[in-house]
Amino acid sequence: MMEAIYQYAWLIPVLPLAGAMLVGLGLISFNKFTNQLRQLNAVFIVSLLGAAMFLSFALLWSQFQGHAPYTYSLDWAAAGNFHLKMGFTIDHLTAVMLAIVTTVAFLVMIYTDGYMSHDPGYVRFYAYLSLFSSSMLGLVVSPNLVQIYIFWELVGMCSYLLIGFWYDRKAAADACQKAFVTNRVGDFGLLLGMLGIYWATGSFEFEVMGERLQSLVESGLLSGALAALFAVLVFMGPVAKSAQVPLHVWLPDAMEGPTPISALIHAATMVAAGVFLIARMYPVFEEIPTAMTTIAWTGAATAFVGATTAITQNDIKKGLAYSTMSQLGYMVMAMGVGAYTAGLFHLMTHAYFKAMLFLGSGSVIHGMEGVVGHDPVLAQDMRMMGGLRKYMPFTAITFLIGTIAICGIPPFAGFWSKDEILGSTFAANPVLWAIGWITAGITAFYMFRMYFTTFEGEFRGNDNQVRQEVLGVNFGPGAMDTREKAAIALEHDSHDGHGHAHEPHESPITMVLPLVILAIPSMLIGFVGTPFANYFEAFVHAPGEHFDMAEAAAEFNLPEFAVMAGSSVGISLIGITLASLMYLSRKIDAKAIAAKIPSLYKLSKNKWYFDEIYDTLFVQGSRRLARQVMEVDLKVVDGVVNITGLITLLGGEGLKYFETGRAQFYALIVFAAVLVGAIIFGVT
């Protein structure tokens, strides 16, 4: 029975692909009829993903019971000695990732029914979701780097389609282009690195690449610098996909897509693909110290930049986007310092509580739209919210659970995974630990700022003064910059604003149920990776390493754990206390502090000026280059062509007078030429 499950594991990515293909063909061929069968299409797609989820959990259970890893491959292309294999592999890491992706995608699809119920693109959205799920599942089961790259690009294409789902909105169209272009930069590096490693090792298999690259460097046949360059180029792919500095700029803009896809892409799946690739390429990276150092410092910088930017965000989804970027930084930093299991453990815990937080923000936006209409600026701005716990109790309690989990408060899931990362980082590099430790305090501050501003206090959605501030009439600390104000004012003027309720409302059961289900792993799943009984590390550990749980439990040092855990919980509690004094009891004036440190406030508010720098360097720079090329084209290339044409024209005009067809005229020319020659030679 178990062997049969492995033989049919290929169905896991194929089932959602079949759903996307059939619904997509229906939309292309019988658009009106297919759109009328809204619920039927949704049930069909969700059922197929449910079957994939069932298979995934069966494989996870089988692997947990001790079944050997299973790989199926076939020759996809062959030329001489070159053989490219395709297939699928099921090992411990794959089994865990399949379970994470299918559960989150399944719950997001159920949630979508409530969130997108009135959207005319309901069926199209389900088709895109299904295609995206299939691409991500295909990436997870890939046995070699080429197949990962194929699905990597498919995932990128799906994110482009989903971020720009409301393509008639300029902001959404710009956001999906930005995501696409930024990811192309990282993917180009990944492609160069892949080709470089293949040139050196002659293989795309992870273990083989690692072993051969190491032996080539040790024997001196390949320089260490070149091996490091190949590894860092491969790492560029995860830098873009997992929104690491400096290729993170696409992630906050991607919030223009519908909230369910924010939960799927930016919590559990697409951004996790980068961390997953680092894990798969670990046999290559771990033997190259330069690559590991680069990975660790990139992660630390991303964690800090993301957290410090999130402090000043007023858009609830953008705040969560920067939070995601910061948490991904933790995972990448863990991989860089050699804490392979800790990084993947945080990937798992974060997937559940961040998916819940994003879906919770969607529930809040859904409730707010009843009051402020479908204007995304007003519906997503936390200054318009407040007191929502009274109106949306289920959303509030699940959001609070997610907030506590991400802050690393025991015994919630985030505490165990974040503490393991910080403990491993301290052992490897205390400076990196200090960055991660400070970031933990900032995380607690901005997350509770988000919770208090949204769910506590008085509801501000009907306050015209607040509305004016949000729309940029009053510009001060916390308001948007002038460019945003102009765009918002235009959007607001075009919005009719009639027929709205005076109070928000709780979301329908299809939206609340996934939140309640996700709250369970957000609270409890951390217990599978406790330092005194680490079942997660016993199951998922670095390739080639052995982990004995009894031995690890015997080596467990309680006083050391208490100091490390106490320090991380302590700084989180300081952050929570500051947030409550500023945004709950209002004993500290946040605007006064912002006014005292305007440069730091603007640095955070303007997202560390990355967009402005890129605009000046690349956008304006490429336009200047294009203008100069145009000048060369007009004046030099066109000039040469025009002069050539003019010479031809004048030559033709002149010569036509000499081509008369009369013999006497030609004889006269010959006589004149001979006479001139005789005179010249006679003189000389």
Side-chain angles (χ1 to χ4, degrees), residues 15 18-20 22-23 39-50:
L15 285 170
L22 291 169
V23 172
Q39 297 283 320
L40 192 65
N41 279 304
V43 168
F44 173 62
I45 279 177
V46 174
S47 301
L48 286 174
L49 191 68

Side-chain angles (χ1 to χ4, degrees), residues 364 368 385-401 450-459 504-506 584:
V364 167
M368 285 295 294
M385 298 171 191
L388 293 183
R389 181 164 55 88
K390 185 168 67 176
Y391 307 105
M392 310 177 75
F394 286 104
T395 303
I397 190 69
T398 52
F399 201 93
L400 179 61
I401 288 166
M450 194 178 288
Y451 174 76
F452 291 143
T453 310
T454 305
F455 293 102
E456 302 298 334
E458 293 297 315
F459 181 61
H505 56 84
E506 185 60 277
L584 186 63

Side-chain angles (χ1 to χ4, degrees), residues 126 135 251 363 382 399 499 537 568 571 651 665 672:
Y126 265 106
S135 306
L251 188 67
S363 180
M382 291 185 288
F399 201 93
E537 188 162 5
S568 65
I571 197 165
F665 182 70

Side-chain angles (χ1 to χ4, degrees), residues 295-317:
I295 291 168
W297 280 99
T298 302
T302 304
F304 185 73
V305 170
T308 49
T309 309
I311 290 175
T312 55
Q313 298 304 307
N314 291 317
D315 184 308
I316 189 169
K317 282 175 71 179

